[in-house]
PDB file of all heavy atoms in Angstrom:
ATOM      1  N   SER A   1      -4.154   1.107 -11.003  1.00 97.00           N
ATOM      2  CA  SER A   1      -5.072   0.238 -11.750  1.00 97.00           C
ATOM      3  C   SER A   1      -4.838  -1.238 -11.451  1.00 97.00           C
ATOM      4  O   SER A   1      -5.290  -2.107 -12.207  1.00 97.00           O
ATOM      5  CB  SER A   1      -4.925   0.490 -13.261  1.00 97.00           C
ATOM      6  OG  SER A   1      -5.222   1.827 -13.583  1.00 97.00           O
ATOM      7  N   ASP A   2      -4.119  -1.547 -10.364  1.00 97.00           N
ATOM      8  CA  ASP A   2      -3.853  -2.939 -10.004  1.00 97.00           C
ATOM      9  C   ASP A   2      -5.083  -3.578  -9.368  1.00 97.00           C
ATOM     10  O   ASP A   2      -5.906  -2.894  -8.745  1.00 97.00           O
ATOM     11  CB  ASP A   2      -2.677  -3.026  -9.033  1.00 97.00           C
ATOM     12  CG  ASP A   2      -1.351  -2.680  -9.696  1.00 97.00           C
ATOM     13  OD1 ASP A   2      -1.357  -2.367 -10.891  1.00 97.00           O
ATOM     14  OD2 ASP A   2      -0.317  -2.719  -9.002  1.00 97.00           O
ATOM     15  N   VAL A   3      -5.189  -4.896  -9.533  1.00 96.00           N
ATOM     16  CA  VAL A   3      -6.261  -5.661  -8.881  1.00 96.00           C
ATOM     17  C   VAL A   3      -5.639  -6.851  -8.179  1.00 96.00           C
ATOM     18  O   VAL A   3      -4.544  -7.307  -8.537  1.00 96.00           O
ATOM     19  CB  VAL A   3      -7.322  -6.138  -9.892  1.00 96.00           C
ATOM     20  CG1 VAL A   3      -8.061  -4.948 -10.519  1.00 96.00           C
ATOM     21  CG2 VAL A   3      -6.683  -7.007 -10.981  1.00 96.00           C
ATOM     22  N   ASP A   4      -6.339  -7.378  -7.147  1.00 95.00           N
ATOM     23  CA  ASP A   4      -5.823  -8.538  -6.435  1.00 95.00           C
ATOM     24  C   ASP A   4      -6.249  -9.822  -7.129  1.00 95.00           C
ATOM     25  O   ASP A   4      -6.824  -9.789  -8.237  1.00 95.00           O
ATOM     26  CB  ASP A   4      -6.261  -8.508  -4.966  1.00 95.00           C
ATOM     27  CG  ASP A   4      -7.779  -8.568  -4.804  1.00 95.00           C
ATOM     28  OD1 ASP A   4      -8.478  -8.982  -5.767  1.00 95.00           O
ATOM     29  OD2 ASP A   4      -8.273  -8.216  -3.709  1.00 95.00           O
ATOM     30  N   GLU A   5      -5.970 -10.975  -6.494  1.00 93.00           N
ATOM     31  CA  GLU A   5      -6.269 -12.275  -7.105  1.00 93.00           C
ATOM     32  C   GLU A   5      -7.753 -12.477  -7.352  1.00 93.00           C
ATOM     33  O   GLU A   5      -8.156 -13.265  -8.210  1.00 93.00           O
ATOM     34  CB  GLU A   5      -5.734 -13.397  -6.213  1.00 93.00           C
ATOM     35  CG  GLU A   5      -4.213 -13.428  -6.119  1.00 93.00           C
ATOM     36  CD  GLU A   5      -3.717 -14.530  -5.206  1.00 93.00           C
ATOM     37  OE1 GLU A   5      -4.573 -15.168  -4.545  1.00 93.00           O
ATOM     38  OE2 GLU A   5      -2.502 -14.748  -5.142  1.00 93.00           O
ATOM     39  N   ASP A   6      -8.578 -11.760  -6.593  1.00 95.00           N
ATOM     40  CA  ASP A   6     -10.029 -11.875  -6.767  1.00 95.00           C
ATOM     41  C   ASP A   6     -10.582 -10.834  -7.732  1.00 95.00           C
ATOM     42  O   ASP A   6     -11.804 -10.727  -7.910  1.00 95.00           O
ATOM     43  CB  ASP A   6     -10.730 -11.734  -5.410  1.00 95.00           C
ATOM     44  CG  ASP A   6     -10.318 -12.831  -4.441  1.00 95.00           C
ATOM     45  OD1 ASP A   6     -10.141 -13.979  -4.909  1.00 95.00           O
ATOM     46  OD2 ASP A   6     -10.157 -12.547  -3.234  1.00 95.00           O
ATOM     47  N   GLY A   7      -9.705 -10.044  -8.309  1.00 94.00           N
ATOM     48  CA  GLY A   7     -10.142  -9.027  -9.253  1.00 94.00           C
ATOM     49  C   GLY A   7     -10.594  -7.731  -8.620  1.00 94.00           C
ATOM     50  O   GLY A   7     -11.111  -6.842  -9.310  1.00 94.00           O
ATOM     51  N   LYS A   8     -10.359  -7.593  -7.318  1.00 96.00           N
ATOM     52  CA  LYS A   8     -10.765  -6.370  -6.619  1.00 96.00           C
ATOM     53  C   LYS A   8      -9.655  -5.326  -6.707  1.00 96.00           C
ATOM     54  O   LYS A   8      -8.469  -5.668  -6.673  1.00 96.00           O
ATOM     55  CB  LYS A   8     -11.077  -6.684  -5.160  1.00 96.00           C
ATOM     56  CG  LYS A   8     -12.263  -7.634  -4.985  1.00 96.00           C
ATOM     57  CD  LYS A   8     -12.509  -7.930  -3.514  1.00 96.00           C
ATOM     58  CE  LYS A   8     -13.695  -8.882  -3.346  1.00 96.00           C
ATOM     59  NZ  LYS A   8     -13.939  -9.210  -1.916  1.00 96.00           N
ATOM     60  N   PRO A   9     -10.017  -4.031  -6.801  1.00 96.00           N
ATOM     61  CA  PRO A   9      -8.996  -2.978  -6.917  1.00 96.00           C
ATOM     62  C   PRO A   9      -8.069  -2.950  -5.706  1.00 96.00           C
ATOM     63  O   PRO A   9      -8.490  -3.146  -4.566  1.00 96.00           O
ATOM     64  CB  PRO A   9      -9.828  -1.692  -7.004  1.00 96.00           C
ATOM     65  CG  PRO A   9     -11.162  -2.142  -7.491  1.00 96.00           C
ATOM     66  CD  PRO A   9     -11.384  -3.500  -6.882  1.00 96.00           C
ATOM     67  N   VAL A  10      -6.775  -2.730  -5.978  1.00 97.00           N
ATOM     68  CA  VAL A  10      -5.775  -2.576  -4.936  1.00 97.00           C
ATOM     69  C   VAL A  10      -5.600  -1.080  -4.678  1.00 97.00           C
ATOM     70  O   VAL A  10      -5.653  -0.266  -5.609  1.00 97.00           O
ATOM     71  CB  VAL A  10      -4.434  -3.202  -5.380  1.00 97.00           C
ATOM     72  CG1 VAL A  10      -3.337  -2.903  -4.375  1.00 97.00           C
ATOM     73  CG2 VAL A  10      -4.593  -4.704  -5.577  1.00 97.00           C
ATOM     74  N   ALA A  11      -5.409  -0.726  -3.414  1.00 97.00           N
ATOM     75  CA  ALA A  11      -5.240   0.687  -3.069  1.00 97.00           C
ATOM     76  C   ALA A  11      -4.090   1.286  -3.866  1.00 97.00           C
ATOM     77  O   ALA A  11      -3.042   0.652  -4.032  1.00 97.00           O
ATOM     78  CB  ALA A  11      -4.983   0.828  -1.571  1.00 97.00           C
ATOM     79  N   PRO A  12      -4.262   2.509  -4.389  1.00 97.00           N
ATOM     80  CA  PRO A  12      -3.177   3.159  -5.142  1.00 97.00           C
ATOM     81  C   PRO A  12      -1.887   3.213  -4.319  1.00 97.00           C
ATOM     82  O   PRO A  12      -1.899   3.531  -3.135  1.00 97.00           O
ATOM     83  CB  PRO A  12      -3.736   4.556  -5.417  1.00 97.00           C
ATOM     84  CG  PRO A  12      -5.224   4.375  -5.396  1.00 97.00           C
ATOM     85  CD  PRO A  12      -5.473   3.346  -4.323  1.00 97.00           C
ATOM     86  N   HIS A  13      -0.771   2.913  -4.963  1.00 97.00           N
ATOM     87  CA  HIS A  13       0.516   2.860  -4.282  1.00 97.00           C
ATOM     88  C   HIS A  13       1.617   3.222  -5.273  1.00 97.00           C
ATOM     89  O   HIS A  13       1.383   3.281  -6.485  1.00 97.00           O
ATOM     90  CB  HIS A  13       0.765   1.458  -3.704  1.00 97.00           C
ATOM     91  CG  HIS A  13       0.667   0.369  -4.735  1.00 97.00           C
ATOM     92  ND1 HIS A  13      -0.543  -0.132  -5.175  1.00 97.00           N
ATOM     93  CD2 HIS A  13       1.620  -0.300  -5.428  1.00 97.00           C
ATOM     94  CE1 HIS A  13      -0.335  -1.070  -6.094  1.00 97.00           C
ATOM     95  NE2 HIS A  13       0.980  -1.184  -6.266  1.00 97.00           N
ATOM     96  N   ILE A  14       2.807   3.473  -4.749  1.00 97.00           N
ATOM     97  CA  ILE A  14       3.934   3.751  -5.634  1.00 97.00           C
ATOM     98  C   ILE A  14       4.958   2.628  -5.549  1.00 97.00           C
ATOM     99  O   ILE A  14       5.075   1.948  -4.523  1.00 97.00           O
ATOM    100  CB  ILE A  14       4.634   5.089  -5.319  1.00 97.00           C
ATOM    101  CG1 ILE A  14       5.350   5.030  -3.961  1.00 97.00           C
ATOM    102  CG2 ILE A  14       3.689   6.253  -5.444  1.00 97.00           C
ATOM    103  CD1 ILE A  14       6.386   6.129  -3.794  1.00 97.00           C
ATOM    104  N   HIS A  15       5.661   2.448  -6.658  1.00 97.00           N
ATOM    105  CA  HIS A  15       6.854   1.607  -6.698  1.00 97.00           C
ATOM    106  C   HIS A  15       8.023   2.538  -6.971  1.00 97.00           C
ATOM    107  O   HIS A  15       8.065   3.210  -8.008  1.00 97.00           O
ATOM    108  CB  HIS A  15       6.750   0.554  -7.799  1.00 97.00           C
ATOM    109  CG  HIS A  15       5.829  -0.578  -7.476  1.00 97.00           C
ATOM    110  ND1 HIS A  15       6.264  -1.772  -6.969  1.00 97.00           N
ATOM    111  CD2 HIS A  15       4.476  -0.673  -7.576  1.00 97.00           C
ATOM    112  CE1 HIS A  15       5.230  -2.582  -6.788  1.00 97.00           C
ATOM    113  NE2 HIS A  15       4.122  -1.926  -7.146  1.00 97.00           N
ATOM    114  N   LEU A  16       8.942   2.606  -6.042  1.00 98.00           N
ATOM    115  CA  LEU A  16      10.090   3.499  -6.140  1.00 98.00           C
ATOM    116  C   LEU A  16      11.371   2.669  -6.136  1.00 98.00           C
ATOM    117  O   LEU A  16      11.581   1.848  -5.248  1.00 98.00           O
ATOM    118  CB  LEU A  16      10.094   4.476  -4.961  1.00 98.00           C
ATOM    119  CG  LEU A  16      11.360   5.323  -4.738  1.00 98.00           C
ATOM    120  CD1 LEU A  16      11.622   6.245  -5.926  1.00 98.00           C
ATOM    121  CD2 LEU A  16      11.227   6.126  -3.439  1.00 98.00           C
ATOM    122  N   VAL A  17      12.209   2.874  -7.132  1.00 98.00           N
ATOM    123  CA  VAL A  17      13.491   2.174  -7.251  1.00 98.00           C
ATOM    124  C   VAL A  17      14.603   3.184  -6.992  1.00 98.00           C
ATOM    125  O   VAL A  17      14.619   4.274  -7.585  1.00 98.00           O
ATOM    126  CB  VAL A  17      13.656   1.556  -8.646  1.00 98.00           C
ATOM    127  CG1 VAL A  17      15.013   0.854  -8.762  1.00 98.00           C
ATOM    128  CG2 VAL A  17      12.527   0.572  -8.939  1.00 98.00           C
ATOM    129  N   ILE A  18      15.528   2.824  -6.101  1.00 98.00           N
ATOM    130  CA  ILE A  18      16.605   3.740  -5.721  1.00 98.00           C
ATOM    131  C   ILE A  18      17.959   3.052  -5.881  1.00 98.00           C
ATOM    132  O   ILE A  18      18.135   1.894  -5.477  1.00 98.00           O
ATOM    133  CB  ILE A  18      16.443   4.205  -4.255  1.00 98.00           C
ATOM    134  CG1 ILE A  18      15.105   4.912  -4.050  1.00 98.00           C
ATOM    135  CG2 ILE A  18      17.590   5.132  -3.855  1.00 98.00           C
ATOM    136  CD1 ILE A  18      14.834   5.306  -2.597  1.00 98.00           C
ATOM    137  N   GLY A  19      18.922   3.768  -6.446  1.00 97.00           N
ATOM    138  CA  GLY A  19      20.307   3.330  -6.505  1.00 97.00           C
ATOM    139  C   GLY A  19      21.165   4.293  -5.705  1.00 97.00           C
ATOM    140  O   GLY A  19      21.081   5.508  -5.897  1.00 97.00           O
ATOM    141  N   LEU A  20      21.979   3.768  -4.784  1.00 97.00           N
ATOM    142  CA  LEU A  20      22.793   4.601  -3.888  1.00 97.00           C
ATOM    143  C   LEU A  20      24.272   4.509  -4.264  1.00 97.00           C
ATOM    144  O   LEU A  20      24.711   3.521  -4.881  1.00 97.00           O
ATOM    145  CB  LEU A  20      22.600   4.143  -2.439  1.00 97.00           C
ATOM    146  CG  LEU A  20      21.154   4.135  -1.925  1.00 97.00           C
ATOM    147  CD1 LEU A  20      21.070   3.394  -0.589  1.00 97.00           C
ATOM    148  CD2 LEU A  20      20.629   5.551  -1.771  1.00 97.00           C
ATOM    149  N   ASN A  21      25.033   5.503  -3.859  1.00 97.00           N
ATOM    150  CA  ASN A  21      26.473   5.466  -4.125  1.00 97.00           C
ATOM    151  C   ASN A  21      27.253   4.739  -3.041  1.00 97.00           C
ATOM    152  O   ASN A  21      28.461   4.546  -3.142  1.00 97.00           O
ATOM    153  CB  ASN A  21      27.024   6.875  -4.337  1.00 97.00           C
ATOM    154  CG  ASN A  21      26.712   7.822  -3.188  1.00 97.00           C
ATOM    155  OD1 ASN A  21      26.485   7.378  -2.043  1.00 97.00           O
ATOM    156  ND2 ASN A  21      26.678   9.120  -3.477  1.00 97.00           N
ATOM    157  N   GLU A  22      26.568   4.368  -1.956  1.00 96.00           N
ATOM    158  CA  GLU A  22      27.147   3.515  -0.916  1.00 96.00           C
ATOM    159  C   GLU A  22      26.009   2.837  -0.168  1.00 96.00           C
ATOM    160  O   GLU A  22      24.859   3.271  -0.236  1.00 96.00           O
ATOM    161  CB  GLU A  22      28.016   4.323   0.048  1.00 96.00           C
ATOM    162  CG  GLU A  22      27.269   5.340   0.884  1.00 96.00           C
ATOM    163  CD  GLU A  22      28.185   6.073   1.857  1.00 96.00           C
ATOM    164  OE1 GLU A  22      29.411   5.980   1.697  1.00 96.00           O
ATOM    165  OE2 GLU A  22      27.666   6.716   2.773  1.00 96.00           O
ATOM    166  N   SER A  23      26.324   1.768   0.537  1.00 96.00           N
ATOM    167  CA  SER A  23      25.289   1.024   1.248  1.00 96.00           C
ATOM    168  C   SER A  23      24.770   1.815   2.448  1.00 96.00           C
ATOM    169  O   SER A  23      25.550   2.383   3.215  1.00 96.00           O
ATOM    170  CB  SER A  23      25.838  -0.329   1.719  1.00 96.00           C
ATOM    171  OG  SER A  23      26.176  -1.140   0.621  1.00 96.00           O
ATOM    172  N   LEU A  24      23.449   1.795   2.594  1.00 97.00           N
ATOM    173  CA  LEU A  24      22.788   2.375   3.764  1.00 97.00           C
ATOM    174  C   LEU A  24      21.826   1.342   4.313  1.00 97.00           C
ATOM    175  O   LEU A  24      21.317   0.484   3.572  1.00 97.00           O
ATOM    176  CB  LEU A  24      22.016   3.645   3.377  1.00 97.00           C
ATOM    177  CG  LEU A  24      22.816   4.821   2.805  1.00 97.00           C
ATOM    178  CD1 LEU A  24      21.868   5.953   2.434  1.00 97.00           C
ATOM    179  CD2 LEU A  24      23.868   5.307   3.797  1.00 97.00           C
ATOM    180  N   ASN A  25      21.543   1.417   5.632  1.00 96.00           N
ATOM    181  CA  ASN A  25      20.592   0.468   6.189  1.00 96.00           C
ATOM    182  C   ASN A  25      19.167   0.884   5.833  1.00 96.00           C
ATOM    183  O   ASN A  25      18.894   2.044   5.481  1.00 96.00           O
ATOM    184  CB  ASN A  25      20.784   0.306   7.698  1.00 96.00           C
ATOM    185  CG  ASN A  25      20.569   1.596   8.460  1.00 96.00           C
ATOM    186  OD1 ASN A  25      19.535   2.247   8.330  1.00 96.00           O
ATOM    187  ND2 ASN A  25      21.557   1.967   9.279  1.00 96.00           N
ATOM    188  N   THR A  26      18.272  -0.076   5.906  1.00 96.00           N
ATOM    189  CA  THR A  26      16.899   0.159   5.454  1.00 96.00           C
ATOM    190  C   THR A  26      16.198   1.252   6.255  1.00 96.00           C
ATOM    191  O   THR A  26      15.343   1.968   5.726  1.00 96.00           O
ATOM    192  CB  THR A  26      16.091  -1.143   5.523  1.00 96.00           C
ATOM    193  OG1 THR A  26      16.233  -1.739   6.822  1.00 96.00           O
ATOM    194  CG2 THR A  26      16.560  -2.135   4.475  1.00 96.00           C
ATOM    195  N   SER A  27      16.555   1.386   7.518  1.00 96.00           N
ATOM    196  CA  SER A  27      15.955   2.443   8.331  1.00 96.00           C
ATOM    197  C   SER A  27      16.341   3.815   7.801  1.00 96.00           C
ATOM    198  O   SER A  27      15.501   4.720   7.654  1.00 96.00           O
ATOM    199  CB  SER A  27      16.386   2.290   9.793  1.00 96.00           C
ATOM    200  OG  SER A  27      15.849   3.328  10.581  1.00 96.00           O
ATOM    201  N   THR A  28      17.627   3.978   7.481  1.00 96.00           N
ATOM    202  CA  THR A  28      18.107   5.254   6.952  1.00 96.00           C
ATOM    203  C   THR A  28      17.478   5.551   5.591  1.00 96.00           C
ATOM    204  O   THR A  28      17.086   6.692   5.302  1.00 96.00           O
ATOM    205  CB  THR A  28      19.639   5.234   6.822  1.00 96.00           C
ATOM    206  OG1 THR A  28      20.219   5.000   8.105  1.00 96.00           O
ATOM    207  CG2 THR A  28      20.159   6.544   6.263  1.00 96.00           C
ATOM    208  N   ILE A  29      17.358   4.517   4.750  1.00 97.00           N
ATOM    209  CA  ILE A  29      16.768   4.705   3.422  1.00 97.00           C
ATOM    210  C   ILE A  29      15.309   5.143   3.557  1.00 97.00           C
ATOM    211  O   ILE A  29      14.848   6.044   2.850  1.00 97.00           O
ATOM    212  CB  ILE A  29      16.885   3.412   2.595  1.00 97.00           C
ATOM    213  CG1 ILE A  29      18.356   3.077   2.317  1.00 97.00           C
ATOM    214  CG2 ILE A  29      16.133   3.563   1.266  1.00 97.00           C
ATOM    215  CD1 ILE A  29      18.574   1.714   1.685  1.00 97.00           C
ATOM    216  N   GLY A  30      14.574   4.478   4.456  1.00 96.00           N
ATOM    217  CA  GLY A  30      13.181   4.856   4.666  1.00 96.00           C
ATOM    218  C   GLY A  30      13.039   6.296   5.105  1.00 96.00           C
ATOM    219  O   GLY A  30      12.114   7.008   4.687  1.00 96.00           O
ATOM    220  N   ASN A  31      13.970   6.753   5.942  1.00 96.00           N
ATOM    221  CA  ASN A  31      13.910   8.130   6.449  1.00 96.00           C
ATOM    222  C   ASN A  31      14.142   9.174   5.357  1.00 96.00           C
ATOM    223  O   ASN A  31      13.752  10.331   5.517  1.00 96.00           O
ATOM    224  CB  ASN A  31      14.938   8.324   7.560  1.00 96.00           C
ATOM    225  CG  ASN A  31      14.532   7.609   8.844  1.00 96.00           C
ATOM    226  OD1 ASN A  31      13.334   7.358   9.071  1.00 96.00           O
ATOM    227  ND2 ASN A  31      15.510   7.265   9.660  1.00 96.00           N
ATOM    228  N   ILE A  32      14.777   8.735   4.242  1.00 96.00           N
ATOM    229  CA  ILE A  32      15.044   9.691   3.160  1.00 96.00           C
ATOM    230  C   ILE A  32      13.739  10.305   2.663  1.00 96.00           C
ATOM    231  O   ILE A  32      13.649  11.519   2.431  1.00 96.00           O
ATOM    232  CB  ILE A  32      15.808   9.014   2.003  1.00 96.00           C
ATOM    233  CG1 ILE A  32      17.212   8.614   2.453  1.00 96.00           C
ATOM    234  CG2 ILE A  32      15.881   9.936   0.784  1.00 96.00           C
ATOM    235  CD1 ILE A  32      17.988   7.836   1.396  1.00 96.00           C
ATOM    236  N   ILE A  33      12.705   9.452   2.487  1.00 94.00           N
ATOM    237  CA  ILE A  33      11.432   9.985   1.974  1.00 94.00           C
ATOM    238  C   ILE A  33      10.329   9.933   3.029  1.00 94.00           C
ATOM    239  O   ILE A  33       9.194  10.315   2.734  1.00 94.00           O
ATOM    240  CB  ILE A  33      10.986   9.230   0.705  1.00 94.00           C
ATOM    241  CG1 ILE A  33      10.670   7.758   1.017  1.00 94.00           C
ATOM    242  CG2 ILE A  33      12.022   9.337  -0.388  1.00 94.00           C
ATOM    243  CD1 ILE A  33       9.929   7.079  -0.115  1.00 94.00           C
ATOM    244  N   GLY A  34      10.679   9.411   4.217  1.00 95.00           N
ATOM    245  CA  GLY A  34       9.701   9.430   5.289  1.00 95.00           C
ATOM    246  C   GLY A  34       8.743   8.260   5.295  1.00 95.00           C
ATOM    247  O   GLY A  34       7.535   8.437   5.489  1.00 95.00           O
ATOM    248  N   VAL A  35       9.250   7.045   5.092  1.00 96.00           N
ATOM    249  CA  VAL A  35       8.419   5.844   5.205  1.00 96.00           C
ATOM    250  C   VAL A  35       9.102   4.885   6.180  1.00 96.00           C
ATOM    251  O   VAL A  35      10.337   4.884   6.301  1.00 96.00           O
ATOM    252  CB  VAL A  35       8.202   5.144   3.845  1.00 96.00           C
ATOM    253  CG1 VAL A  35       7.508   6.076   2.862  1.00 96.00           C
ATOM    254  CG2 VAL A  35       9.507   4.631   3.272  1.00 96.00           C
ATOM    255  N   PRO A  36       8.333   4.044   6.896  1.00 95.00           N
ATOM    256  CA  PRO A  36       8.925   3.067   7.809  1.00 95.00           C
ATOM    257  C   PRO A  36       9.825   2.079   7.059  1.00 95.00           C
ATOM    258  O   PRO A  36       9.607   1.790   5.883  1.00 95.00           O
ATOM    259  CB  PRO A  36       7.712   2.361   8.413  1.00 95.00           C
ATOM    260  CG  PRO A  36       6.590   3.330   8.248  1.00 95.00           C
ATOM    261  CD  PRO A  36       6.856   4.032   6.954  1.00 95.00           C
ATOM    262  N   GLN A  37      10.814   1.538   7.759  1.00 94.00           N
ATOM    263  CA  GLN A  37      11.797   0.671   7.110  1.00 94.00           C
ATOM    264  C   GLN A  37      11.194  -0.606   6.557  1.00 94.00           C
ATOM    265  O   GLN A  37      11.741  -1.203   5.624  1.00 94.00           O
ATOM    266  CB  GLN A  37      12.925   0.320   8.079  1.00 94.00           C
ATOM    267  CG  GLN A  37      12.539  -0.683   9.163  1.00 94.00           C
ATOM    268  CD  GLN A  37      13.742  -1.152   9.960  1.00 94.00           C
ATOM    269  OE1 GLN A  37      14.097  -0.510  10.937  1.00 94.00           O
ATOM    270  NE2 GLN A  37      14.348  -2.234   9.546  1.00 94.00           N
ATOM    271  N   GLN A  38      10.048  -1.056   7.082  1.00 95.00           N
ATOM    272  CA  GLN A  38       9.466  -2.302   6.584  1.00 95.00           C
ATOM    273  C   GLN A  38       8.980  -2.193   5.136  1.00 95.00           C
ATOM    274  O   GLN A  38       8.691  -3.204   4.489  1.00 95.00           O
ATOM    275  CB  GLN A  38       8.326  -2.795   7.474  1.00 95.00           C
ATOM    276  CG  GLN A  38       7.122  -1.870   7.581  1.00 95.00           C
ATOM    277  CD  GLN A  38       7.190  -1.020   8.832  1.00 95.00           C
ATOM    278  OE1 GLN A  38       8.285  -0.626   9.261  1.00 95.00           O
ATOM    279  NE2 GLN A  38       6.037  -0.762   9.435  1.00 95.00           N
ATOM    280  N   TYR A  39       8.876  -0.973   4.625  1.00 96.00           N
ATOM    281  CA  TYR A  39       8.461  -0.806   3.234  1.00 96.00           C
ATOM    282  C   TYR A  39       9.658  -0.692   2.288  1.00 96.00           C
ATOM    283  O   TYR A  39       9.483  -0.508   1.086  1.00 96.00           O
ATOM    284  CB  TYR A  39       7.559   0.425   3.107  1.00 96.00           C
ATOM    285  CG  TYR A  39       6.289   0.284   3.909  1.00 96.00           C
ATOM    286  CD1 TYR A  39       6.106   0.999   5.100  1.00 96.00           C
ATOM    287  CD2 TYR A  39       5.281  -0.585   3.504  1.00 96.00           C
ATOM    288  CE1 TYR A  39       4.952   0.855   5.851  1.00 96.00           C
ATOM    289  CE2 TYR A  39       4.120  -0.740   4.251  1.00 96.00           C
ATOM    290  CZ  TYR A  39       3.970  -0.021   5.430  1.00 96.00           C
ATOM    291  OH  TYR A  39       2.826  -0.181   6.171  1.00 96.00           O
ATOM    292  N   VAL A  40      10.863  -0.779   2.863  1.00 97.00           N
ATOM    293  CA  VAL A  40      12.091  -0.769   2.070  1.00 97.00           C
ATOM    294  C   VAL A  40      12.576  -2.215   1.938  1.00 97.00           C
ATOM    295  O   VAL A  40      12.742  -2.907   2.942  1.00 97.00           O
ATOM    296  CB  VAL A  40      13.187   0.085   2.734  1.00 97.00           C
ATOM    297  CG1 VAL A  40      14.446   0.107   1.866  1.00 97.00           C
ATOM    298  CG2 VAL A  40      12.680   1.506   2.993  1.00 97.00           C
TER     299      VAL A  40
END
């Protein structure tokens, strides 16, 4: 139900928050659920 600055609908998307027990690089984190690292 998000809209942009012009009031137009934004494409449906998810916000996912993750806590890890050790540091991992963004590429590895993205691979956990299958998304490119630029979205991490």
Side-chain angles (χ1 to χ4, degrees):
S1 300
D2 290 1
V3 295
D4 62 19
E5 294 179 353
D6 298 322
K8 296 179 180 179
V10 173
H13 55 281
I14 68 162
H15 285 263
L16 169 63
V17 179
I18 301 176
L20 304 168
N21 55 24
E22 66 178 14
S23 296
L24 298 178
N25 61 54
T26 51
S27 178
T28 300
I29 295 171
N31 288 336
I32 293 175
I33 65 167
V35 300
Q37 74 171 88
Q38 62 263 34
Y39 298 106
V40 181

